[in-house]
Amino acid sequence: MTYADFFYEIKGKFMGADVSDIHEHLAYQFNIEDEEAGGAFYVEVKDGVLYVEPYEYYDRDAMFISTPEVFRKIAAGEMDPVWAFTTQKLRVEGNIDKALKLNDIIQRKKKEQKKEAKEAKKAEKEAKKAEKEAAKEEKKAEKK
């Protein structure tokens, strides 16, 4: 996997998180340690808007350093960043208080995904119900 492939995969996992009520500035840089996918990108919350860009961020609050696998699991909400730090799978430099707020952004995204999945399930049920109703009406019409 190349850096670009990895970056766009991670960007897709972060984007869509509702950060509109976060009014403080947060800037995180992620350093990926990998021969093929190695590089840096940043996640920034500014004026309630989330940005994920493939550049270094020199005025960052915190920097996270790890492998692509760890970042992938953290971004997907499958691995707690605090646990990853505690078990030394993730290194953190900078403002730890602001670094901890990354988990909040991840949890927001996770909530959005659950909400979307629930809405999709509900829409699917309604479509099946409408389909059954249409089939019943069709049978009634055929009997007449």
Side-chain angles (χ1 to χ4, degrees):
M1 173 177 280
T2 67
Y3 166 78
D5 294 335
F6 179 73
F7 169 74
Y8 287 110
E9 176 187 337
I10 296 298
K11 182 175 183 172
K13 291 181 183 200
F14 274 109
M15 294 309 294
D18 181 12
V19 296
S20 60
D21 63 339
I22 298 176
H23 299 292
E24 70 178 304
H25 181 261
L26 300 171
Y28 305 117
Q29 180 172 314
F30 294 81
N31 286 3
I32 308 154
E33 294 181 326
D34 188 74
E35 278 190 33
E36 292 179 31
F41 67 93
Y42 74 86
V43 174
E44 177 183 33
V45 177
K46 185 176 182 181
D47 299 324
V49 179
L50 181 72
Y51 301 92
V52 181
E53 298 297 332
Y55 311 109
E56 289 189 40
Y57 197 105
Y58 295 104
D59 193 23
R60 61 189 169 258
D61 296 310
M63 180 169 52
F64 300 95
I65 305 150
S66 193
T67 63
E69 295 77 29
V70 170
F71 285 137
R72 187 178 288 118
K73 288 178 180 179
I74 289 172
E78 297 170 3
M79 182 184 288
D80 179 48
V82 176
W83 181 85
F85 174 75
T86 305
T87 59
Q88 300 180 348
K89 294 180 183 296
L90 175 69
R91 293 191 319 272
V92 180
E93 296 176 6
N95 185 324
I96 296 298
D97 289 333
K98 286 197 174 191
L100 288 169
K101 294 180 182 186
L102 173 67
N103 199 32
D104 184 42
I105 295 169
I106 293 166
Q107 294 307 316
R108 288 168 185 251
K109 177 61 178 175
K110 211 171 173 180
K111 266 187 188 175
E112 288 293 318
Q113 287 174 329
K114 283 183 181 179
K115 184 179 175 183
E116 288 171 6
K118 190 175 181 179
E119 288 172 359
K121 223 177 201 180
K122 184 178 177 182
E124 187 179 322
K125 272 186 176 179
E126 288 175 3
K128 284 182 181 181
K129 185 178 177 181
E131 197 175 285
K132 285 181 182 180
E133 290 295 321
K136 282 182 185 178
E137 292 298 320
E138 192 175 306
K139 281 185 180 181
K140 281 183 186 179
E142 285 177 6
K143 288 182 180 180
K144 290 183 181 182

